[in-house]
């Protein structure tokens, strides 16, 4: 009986992780991406080109956007990142950027 409960709990945790990632990974990565460029810069034309389940609890999100630096009216450069994001808390880190 204990083994059955363990398997059920593991299945529920896995389903919860998948559901949270499907529903929130994109939005959490967009928020993280905007914060990563600092409060002085604005990120526009943000595009998410890939969302893939990585290792629990992280999801890998490929994201890019045009960065408008303070005092400028047009984008200064295009930023692209592979972000590993935890969709519930929004914690993330860049796994590659350019």
């Amino acid at each position: 009986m204990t083994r059955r409960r363990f398997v059920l709990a593991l299945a529920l945790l896995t389903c919860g992780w998948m559901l949270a990632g499907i529903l929130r990974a994109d939005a959490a990565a967009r928020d993280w991406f905007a914060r990563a460029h600092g409060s002085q810069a604005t990120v526009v034309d943000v595009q998410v080109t890939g969302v893939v389940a990585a290792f629990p609890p992280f999801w890998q999100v490929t994201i890019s956007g045009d960065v408008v630096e303070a005092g400028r009216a047009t984008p200064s450069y295009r930023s692209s990142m592979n972000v590993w994001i935890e969709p519930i808390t929004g914690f993330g880190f860049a796994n590659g950027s350019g």
Side-chain angles (χ1 to χ4, degrees):
M1 192 67 162
T2 304
R3 186 175 188 169
R4 184 177 290 169
R5 285 184 182 168
F6 175 75
V7 171
L8 180 62
L10 187 61
L12 289 173
L13 284 172
T14 302
C15 289
W17 171 69
M18 292 296 287
L19 186 62
I22 290 168
L23 296 177
R24 290 220 359 105
D26 184 311
R30 287 175 186 268
D31 290 343
W32 187 91
F33 187 70
R35 285 192 315 267
H37 289 90
S39 61
Q40 299 297 320
T42 304
V43 182
V44 296
D45 191 26
V46 177
Q47 298 173 346
V48 174
T49 56
V51 179
V52 179
F55 59 91
F58 292 98
W59 285 69
Q60 182 177 357
V61 179
T62 304
I63 190 167
S64 61
D66 295 328
V67 179
V68 180
E69 294 178 333
R72 299 202 50 169
T74 59
S76 302
Y77 60 93
R78 182 127 181 111
S79 176
S80 299
M81 293 184 182
N82 286 326
V83 178
W84 289 62
I85 195 84
E86 196 286 311
I88 296 171
T89 63
F91 173 78
F93 57 93
N95 188 24
S97 60

